[in-house]
Amino acid sequence: MSSNQASARDLGLRFEGHLPTGPLNALTDVAGVKLGHVTLQGDGLATGVTAIIPAEGNLFRSKLRGAVDVINGFGKSAGLMQLAELGTIETPILLTNTLNVGTCTEALVRRALAENDDIGRTTGTVNALVCECNDGSISDIRALGVTQDHAAEALKAAAPGAFAQGAVGAGTGMTAFGFKAGIGSASRLLEIGEERFTLGALVLANFGPAGQLMLPDGRRPHPKDLAEREQGSVIVILGTDLPLADRQLQRVAKRAGAGLARLGAFYGHGSGDLTVMFTTADRVEHDPAAPFAPQRRLSDDLIDLAFRAAAEATQEAVLNALCHAPGTRGHSRYYPSLADWLKENQQ
């Protein structure tokens, strides 16, 4: 199993009327963002870790402002409660399978301890951020195959620029809408005033029943199998360099749900659907030099552009996850490739 190198646009899907993409059409179009994967295959495993380092430097000492929006909370992610309360991100973000959240959490904690001698002694503890989906339809999730070394390797591999999508890293064993899925990404450029900003999306797509997927042109691909119950999940990571206040970040994060809805998602009972968002603008110092810190804030009258970018980038990121992933046999059925369906049903 490996990733195809064909995006939704490469395969003929059109996004008329959408905002322009960044140069890579990926989360790493946001300056400073790095991404790395570790993929585990063989001996019943089809799983892994995807690491997002959202900015340069020591994130515990110089935190990013962030937010979380939980659409449907059937999930086991770590670190969301403090993120919702304080609005800051102080570790990289790891994506993995459901039963390895604890392993990846410990890996992030150990990394932060190694970088900061005062954690747990003269200052507080650290809030590790790990998000998950269940890859048990393809991988032996009970094997607990992801180790702390794998998490550390994914973090070490994180780099700026283009990265593999589809059945790689945390996406290796994921499926969506009856097709093979995984990791996907997209980005949008925003012109506000006389400045240009970027909003990028990365998804771990593992949701949606067969036959429910809606393409931008209105077609509904069906993987030639019986419809199945919606019981997967989707994690959306949104990053931007746009200066947004805490409340604005949460509002923009919520609009990722509009992108999922465009695809046919209805957030089923067993689906863990959430968005984590961050901005690289106006970081929050752990040891501030002054009682007050200045922050820029987008005018609410202009925030619709960010809402639109979040919805568009999320929609395209999921389609890229589907298009990059090759057909794969799971435990009880075959999950075909959306790329193959598009080639067979060219308009």
Side-chain angles (χ1 to χ4, degrees), residues 113-333:
L113 293 177
E115 293 180 342
N116 303 276
D117 292 339
D118 56 343
I119 289 178
R121 290 177 176 159
T122 58
T123 192
T125 56
V126 62
N127 186 53
L129 193 51
V130 182
C131 298
E132 54 78 25
C133 292
N134 186 339
D135 57 15
S137 62
I138 293 178
S139 186
D140 180 7
I141 195 170
R142 290 174 58 90
L144 303 178
V146 173
T147 67
Q148 290 185 46
D149 286 343
H150 293 137
E153 185 181 345
L155 288 161
K156 184 177 180 180
F163 55 87
Q165 300 182 45
V168 292
T172 306
M174 305 299 175
T175 67
F177 297 104
F179 292 96
K180 184 67 187 73
I183 293 288
S185 197
S187 68
R188 293 293 184 269
L189 299 179
L190 298 80
E191 298 281 351
I192 300 177
E194 297 183 354
E195 297 182 72
R196 171 175 284 190
F197 301 97
T198 303
L199 185 147
L202 182 124
V203 301
L204 180 59
N206 193 55
F207 70 109
Q212 197 71 28
L213 177 63
M214 174 77 78
L215 298 181
D217 56 21
R219 288 182 293 167
R220 287 189 174 275
H222 199 290
K224 299 177 182 178
D225 205 341
L226 295 176
E228 56 195 13
R229 183 181 177 187
E230 157 67 298
Q231 55 185 357
S233 299
V234 57
I235 305 299
V236 182
I237 308 297
L238 296 180
T240 188
D241 53 5
L242 180 66
L244 296 170
D246 295 348
R247 181 65 179 170
Q248 292 177 321
L249 282 164
Q250 202 276 333
R251 294 183 71 206
V252 176
K254 188 181 295 290
R255 270 58 184 190
L260 300 177
R262 291 179 183 181
L263 296 158
F266 55 82
Y267 322 134
H269 163 68
S271 190
D273 308 323
L274 64 89
T275 304
V276 169
M277 185 170 188
F278 63 85
T279 177
T280 59
D282 301 325
R283 294 170 71 164
V284 177
E285 298 304 314
H286 185 75
D287 301 300
F292 299 95
Q295 290 183 346
R296 287 208 302 167
R297 178 187 185 277
L298 178 68
S299 169
D300 283 337
D301 291 339
L302 301 175
I303 202 170
D304 277 354
L305 193 61
F307 289 170
R308 177 181 169 189
E312 290 182 5
T314 300
Q315 176 193 21
E316 186 169 358
V318 172
L319 290 170
N320 282 334
L322 288 159
C323 288
H324 279 288
T328 304
R329 179 155 298 282
H331 296 309
S332 61
R333 56 161 288 186

